[in-house]
Amino acid sequence: MKVKVAKTAGFCFGVKRAVDKVYELIASGDRAIYTLGPIIHNEEVVSDLERRGVRVITEEELETLSGGTVVIRSHGVGRHVYEKLKVCGLDYVDVTCPFVLKIHRIVERESAAGRHIVIIGDKDHPEVRGICGWCQGSYTVLKDLEEAENFTPHPQKPLSVVSQTTFNYNKFKDLVEILGKKSYDNNVLNMLNVLNTICNATEERQREAKDIAGEVDTMLVVGGRHSSNTQKLFEICKKECGNTYFIQTPVDLDSEMFQCSSCVGITAGASTPKNIIEEVQEHVRIKF
Ligand code: SF4
């Protein structure tokens, strides 16, 4: 079996930085460590951290803590969370990815200038919730063509558009096109400010995954069930290769996936550790 593994598969810079920081805090060893939500969308990594004493907490639980260090993960949080940490007198380590921090600053600035913010992404994703938390005025989250078509811009208020860092670039372009048309129809074309805030790591990963999926018989996308960027990779690959599977670990592999396959492609989301990708690769090579 020929196996092609994407060079861009696995931890991106922002996730690696966040995970390394938590292990560094564990090594320093003298305080309780809490992460505000799971540090990454990967059950293996989160369970390993739990075994080492790291507790995953919710925003509501901040008020119940009496000490320790709270870690803000790479997805970032809204302004009110920093205020809450301050009011509760808690120490924290902020590992929000710099690319996400940049979006916080953009929406803060653009909304302070009186513009309506459009965030293209999933309103329930923690990164998007964090971005919303930095808008100082009105904002809308749009996730698909239907929502963009149904969106009615304010006739005078200019729009500033940003994107969730892991959003699909082609889908982003399609939604922006609809918003551009609406602005044109409203005679406010010059008032549309589009800021493509999709992370390069995501774009490159998606491009490479698409290319590989177009060349293989079976495509494997490795990642956590709740990882949005892995789900998007799966969608992209499925379009190119009908025989695409979403797996979390080698345990999910099944011989049915490889029937009539002579070439298998592997990619992985930003929260998939290197060792899991290697294990999947080994299993495919040896067992099938
Ligand atoms: S995908 Fe990009 S924006 Fe998101 S954590 Fe990784 S490097 Fe940062």
Side-chain angles (χ1 to χ4, degrees), residues 12-15 74 97 99-100 165-166 199 201-202:
C12 61
F13 144 81
V15 167
S74 58
C97 179
F99 300 133
V100 177
T165 54
T166 49
C199 163
T202 306

Side-chain angles (χ1 to χ4, degrees), residues 131-142:
I131 297 168
C132 295
W134 286 95
C135 295
Q136 301 195 34
S138 60
Y139 66 88
T140 307
V141 181
L142 301 173

Side-chain angles (χ1 to χ4, degrees), residues 26-38:
I26 295 170
S28 69
D30 54 352
R31 311 189 70 182
I33 303 163
Y34 306 96
T35 65
L36 210 40

Side-chain angles (χ1 to χ4, degrees), residues 54-55 85 90 120 122 150 166 181-182 186 265-266 273 283:
V54 177
R55 229 184 93 199
L85 285 160
L90 293 166
I120 295 187
D122 173 0
N150 291 333
T166 49
K181 188 170 179 307
K182 281 180 185 275
N186 270 357
I266 300 174
H283 267 68

Side-chain angles (χ1 to χ4, degrees), residues 200-268:
N200 274 348
T202 306
E203 273 186 64
E204 278 167 31
R205 187 192 313 270
Q206 291 175 350
R207 203 175 309 121
E208 193 189 15
K210 185 171 183 267
D211 290 348
I212 294 179
E215 295 166 6
V216 297
D217 309 310
T218 297
M219 186 73 191
L220 301 174
V221 181
V222 192
R225 232 194 317 264
H226 304 295
S227 157
S228 123
N229 77 85
T230 314
Q231 277 160 12
K232 290 199 183 94
L233 273 182
F234 174 76
E235 282 169 30
I236 291 167
C237 294
K238 187 81 181 168
K239 274 193 195 149
E240 300 301 312
C241 172
N243 220 13
T244 294
Y245 299 92
F246 191 139
I247 62 165
Q248 295 205 89
T249 68
V251 175
D252 301 326
L253 292 170
D254 187 314
S255 57
E256 296 230 327
M257 297 173 176
F258 307 103
Q259 273 177 9
C260 311
S261 291
S262 60
C263 187
V264 175
I266 300 174
T267 187

